[in-house]
């Protein structure tokens, strides 16, 4: 647990843990939490069960790390990619494209945690995830408000505009097919363009 | 089954069936399919179990009617509300507002069928619902294409623009609180305005 608890691990161990999380997320999203065993995870990673248990005490610890991690890390991932000194409009575009990048890169974790988001039996864990989710939503509202203050956006209902942006991104997992059609960051960019400029002929 | 199979029933019986479907949908959405019994449904409707069985042979028949019905009837409900002779832009607005109305009026059926949409074990039923869903999505694409052809919309990726519209509407059930904030048709109308005009200052 000591090693697994921190987000960044050094060297081989970090690589191994990322591999375990990624394979586990894929298995959870495909076969469900109950349909996935520690043996399945070890096999998918091509490692022994004892090496797996060296990194994680049980399946629930892996799941918690994916579910909580993917909400917290989404926030951090997106926040780190907002260009400093750029206009609010450009920062909102970066917010959307970064979410598309995160979705594409960690799609299994996204899927696994989305299905659990509303039904996590652990109250405390659920609360912590809601907090990161709220910060993520707060970020998009701040960017929209700043764009209005800067005269780039017209005055509008900020929470609703934020929901429009997040709805477009959140619904992607229902229809997105990797290796078919546009990559997710490009979809997010096209959405930004539509939402910013609107559909009307100019 | 004979009475329950048709969408429109006459008089008292039709009212009774609507009540049963509405109470069942609420129970399914709240307690899940497995957590809801025929006894629960009869009690919620204030009727005897034998009267309930007079209308529906079992719980699965009620569920199938809700799940299939709510996809097929959404299409019909929205289609019937597109104003004839109006511009494509006005028809797209009507499409969105009607979806908001349908969502608000049949919210429990919407919630019950959304949770089952991707996991219905009945292949045939799932296929039929996908067909109605595709017609519904086809309708929004047709309206967007007509708006482009009429010079009202700028040329754009029609399937993606359709997805933007549907994402906004489909994500409502995640955050919408009845009796708090705007009614759903008004939210849909505000979304239309944002998507049509865009967020940019004019």
């Amino acid at each position: 647990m000591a090693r697994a608890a921190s987000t960044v691990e050094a060297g081989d161990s970090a690589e191994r843990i990322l591999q375990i999380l990624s394979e586990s997320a894929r298995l959870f999203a495909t076969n469900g939490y109950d349909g996935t065993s520690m043996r399945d995870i070890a096999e998918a990673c091509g490692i022994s069960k004892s090496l797996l248990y060296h990194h994680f005490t049980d399946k629930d610890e892996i799941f918690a790390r994916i579910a909580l991690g993917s909400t917290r890390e989404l926030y951090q991932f997106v926040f780190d990619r907002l260009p400093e000194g750029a206009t609010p409009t450009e920062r909102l575009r970066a917010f959307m494209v970064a979410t598309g990048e995160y979705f594409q890169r960690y799609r299994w974790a996204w899927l696994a945690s989305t299905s659990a988001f509303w039904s996590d039996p652990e109250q405390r864990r659920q609360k912590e995830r809601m907090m990161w989710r709220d910060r993520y939503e707060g970020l998009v509202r701040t960017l929209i408000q700043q764009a209005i203050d800067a005269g780039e956006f017209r005055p509008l209902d900020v929470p609703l505009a934020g929901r429009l942006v997040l709805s477009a991104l959140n619904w992607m997992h229902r229809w997105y097919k990797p290796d078919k059609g546009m990559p997710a960051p490009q979809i997010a960019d096209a959405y930004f363009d539509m939402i910013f400029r609107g559909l009307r002929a100019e």
Side-chain angles (χ1 to χ4, degrees), chain A residues 39-54:
Chain A
R39 175 183 297 275
D40 296 334
I41 295 170
E43 270 177 19
C45 297
I47 61 176
S48 66
K49 273 180 72 177
S50 70
L51 182 55
L52 178 59
Y53 279 109
H54 169 71

Side-chain angles (χ1 to χ4, degrees), chain A residues 33 43 85 104 114 127 133 135 195 197:
Chain A
Y33 180 78
E43 270 177 19
Q104 181 159 286
T114 294
K127 265 197 190 147
R133 188 77 210 178
R135 288 185 71 166
I195 294 174
R197 294 170 60 198

Side-chain angles (χ1 to χ4, degrees), chain A residues 21 33 42 48 64 68 72 76 79 92-93 97-98 106 119 133 140 143 155 168 173 185 190 202:
Chain A
L21 293 173
Y33 180 78
S48 66
L68 172 59
R72 182 179 57 201
Q76 205 56 54
F79 188 83
L92 182 64
R93 179 198 295 275
V97 173
Y106 305 108
S119 55
R133 188 77 210 178
V140 76
L143 294 173
H173 75 274
E202 293 172 272

Side-chain angles (χ1 to χ4, degrees), chain A residues 163-185:
Chain A
R163 276 182 181 129
L164 175 60
V165 168
L166 297 187
S167 299
L169 299 170
N170 284 333
W171 198 253
M172 272 198 308
H173 75 274
R174 289 294 204 191
W175 60 270
Y176 179 75
K177 300 255 183 305
D179 315 319
K180 205 186 147 189
M182 272 189 254

Side-chain angles (χ1 to χ4, degrees), chain A residues 182-195:
Chain A
M182 272 189 254
Q186 202 180 323
I187 293 169
D189 198 41
Y191 274 151
F192 171 81
D193 182 61
M194 287 182 194
I195 294 174

